[in-house]
């Protein structure tokens, strides 16, 4: 992949992730939702992105075959399988508009796609001395966020938009990290003492001249990811506060007390607290007041002990 390919891939992930996190749940497929309300434009966008990945992988596969790069060919076959899963997700999403497919089927396909993506980045160990492995390791975190948020939405019985929000934030973090990888691999902003070596279009490694440069490159990659992660935390916190306030205001069922509840009592209660001790110390001549209520009104009767 070139700098342009990584940039387009990162921008596509940011676009899909923003749509996933901010779209109105009433017009968009919701994770774990049993309703039939879906937005076909979302699935069309996912299908276009998946097709672009397929075309790019086919071009890289042909270049690896021409260069007799077996490792590059194997990597592109993995990318083809991953892009095919996301394409299947988008096609099934479009078919649900006319066919009675359960919404959980779409989430299950998406779950397998994120699992395949996790395995893809986890197994990329072409060169043990290449610092690109550190970038691939750090990519596992946003992929895991997407996987577990999809799994949570699939297992939840009630409708909730927060798993979809987490998946959208994970997709955005994948997109920003792909942009960072393109900048770090294919520009002069790479760590000093390290350079890019390409065997084919999709098979490359970043080698450093010595151990100090190697460790410095890995440390810089970690620092860059921490900055991306901090930005995502701030963004997710703001989105969560916004959505929580909106849904709390929309679901407020408070009914002010009024009408009959505020009317004063017609006959206020009159009572006294008598105890056995008072009866025991009561002397003859004390007067006990009893209240009797009748249709004509109230009258007091006195009884002498």
């Amino acid at each position: 992949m070139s700098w342009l390919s990584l940039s387009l891939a990162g921008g596509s992930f940011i676009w899909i992730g923003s749509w996933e996190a901010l779209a109105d749940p009433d017009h968009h497929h919701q994770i774990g939702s049993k309703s039939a309300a879906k937005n076909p434009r979302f699935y069309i966008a996912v299908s276009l992105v998946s097709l672009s990945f397929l075309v790019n992988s086919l071009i890289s596969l042909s270049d690896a075959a021409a260069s007799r790069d077996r490792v590059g060919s194997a990597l592109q076959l993995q990318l083809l399988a991953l892009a095919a899963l996301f394409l299947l997700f988008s096609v099934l999403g479009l078919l649900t508009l006319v066919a009675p497919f359960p919404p959980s089927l779409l989430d299950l396909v998406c779950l397998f796609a994120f699992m395949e993506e996790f395995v893809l980045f986890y197994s990329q160990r072409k060169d043990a001395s290449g610092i690109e492995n550190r970038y691939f390791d750090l990519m596992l975190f946003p992929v895991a966020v997407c996987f577990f948020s999809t799994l949570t939405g699939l297992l939840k019985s009630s409708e909730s938009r927060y798993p979809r929000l987490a998946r959208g934030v994970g997709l955005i973090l994948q997109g920003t990290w792909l942009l960072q990888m393109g900048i770090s691999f294919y520009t002069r902003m790479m760590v000093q003492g390290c350079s890019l070596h390409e065997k084919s279009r999709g098979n490359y490694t970043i080698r450093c001249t010595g151990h100090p440069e190697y460790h410095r490159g890995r440390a810089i990659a970690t620092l860059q990811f921490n900055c991306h992660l901090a930005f995502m935390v701030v963004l997710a916190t703001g989105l969560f506060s916004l959505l929580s306030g909106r849904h709390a205001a929309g679901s407020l069922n408070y009914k002010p007390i009024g009408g009959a509840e505020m009317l004063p009592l017609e006959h206020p209660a009159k009572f006294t607290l008598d105890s056995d001790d008072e009866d025991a110390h009561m002397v003859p001549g004390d007067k006990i007041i009893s209240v009797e209520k009748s249709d004509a009104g109230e009258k007091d009767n006195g009884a002498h002990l």
Side-chain angles (χ1 to χ4, degrees), residues 20-21 142 145-146 149 161-172:
E20 180 78 358
V145 171
C146 296
S149 60
R161 65 174 297 144
Y162 296 114
R164 185 164 61 86
L165 174 62
R167 183 166 71 173
V169 172
L171 289 172
I172 295 174

Side-chain angles (χ1 to χ4, degrees), residues 56-109:
N56 181 75
S57 297
L58 289 174
I59 295 174
S60 299
L61 181 62
S62 63
D63 183 74
S67 303
R68 296 182 180 181
D69 183 10
R70 296 182 180 180
V71 177
S73 300
L75 289 175
Q76 296 309 313
L77 289 176
Q78 286 182 302
L79 286 174
L80 284 173
L82 178 60
L85 283 175
F86 282 109
L87 182 61
L88 177 62
F89 167 79
S90 61
V91 171
L92 289 177
L94 292 174
L95 289 178
T96 52
L97 301 176
V98 294
F101 289 110
S104 58
L105 178 61
L106 299 177
D107 297 328
L108 187 61
V109 173

Side-chain angles (χ1 to χ4, degrees), residues 14 34 37 75 78-79 86 90 121 123-124 130 140 181 201 222 241 244 254 260 278 299:
I14 294 174
K34 307 303 180 185
L75 289 175
Q78 286 182 302
L79 286 174
F86 282 109
S90 61
F121 284 104
S123 60
Q124 287 207 27
L140 296 177
M181 288 169 59
R201 189 173 181 272
T222 305
S241 302
S244 298
Y254 173 73
E278 293 177 352
K299 62 181 181 178

Side-chain angles (χ1 to χ4, degrees), residues 80-201:
L80 284 173
L82 178 60
L85 283 175
F86 282 109
L87 182 61
L88 177 62
F89 167 79
S90 61
V91 171
L92 289 177
L94 292 174
L95 289 178
T96 52
L97 301 176
V98 294
F101 289 110
S104 58
L105 178 61
L106 299 177
D107 297 328
L108 187 61
V109 173
C110 192
L111 188 70
F112 279 111
F114 286 124
M115 185 185 302
E116 176 68 21
E117 186 181 7
F118 187 92
V119 173
L120 174 64
F121 284 104
Y122 182 78
S123 60
Q124 287 207 27
R125 291 293 185 275
K126 304 182 298 296
D127 188 355
S129 61
I131 65 172
E132 76 279 358
N133 296 326
R134 184 57 178 171
Y135 286 86
F136 296 149
D137 291 340
L138 293 171
M139 177 62 86
L140 296 177
F141 176 76
V143 176
V145 171
C146 296
F147 175 82
F148 285 108
S149 60
T150 305
L151 180 63
T152 302
L154 185 63
L155 297 179
K156 286 181 69 68
S157 58
S158 60
E159 296 185 359
S160 175
R161 65 174 297 144
Y162 296 114
R164 185 164 61 86
L165 174 62
R167 183 166 71 173
V169 172
L171 289 172
I172 295 174
L173 182 56
Q174 288 190 52
T176 59
W177 192 237
L178 285 173
L179 289 175
Q180 182 64 59
M181 288 169 59
I183 295 174
S184 300
F185 294 170
Y186 292 98
T187 64
R188 295 182 179 179
M189 296 179 64
M190 189 183 302
V191 60
Q192 187 177 2
C194 300
S195 58
L196 178 68
H197 299 270
E198 287 186 289
K199 294 182 179 179
S200 64
R201 189 173 181 272

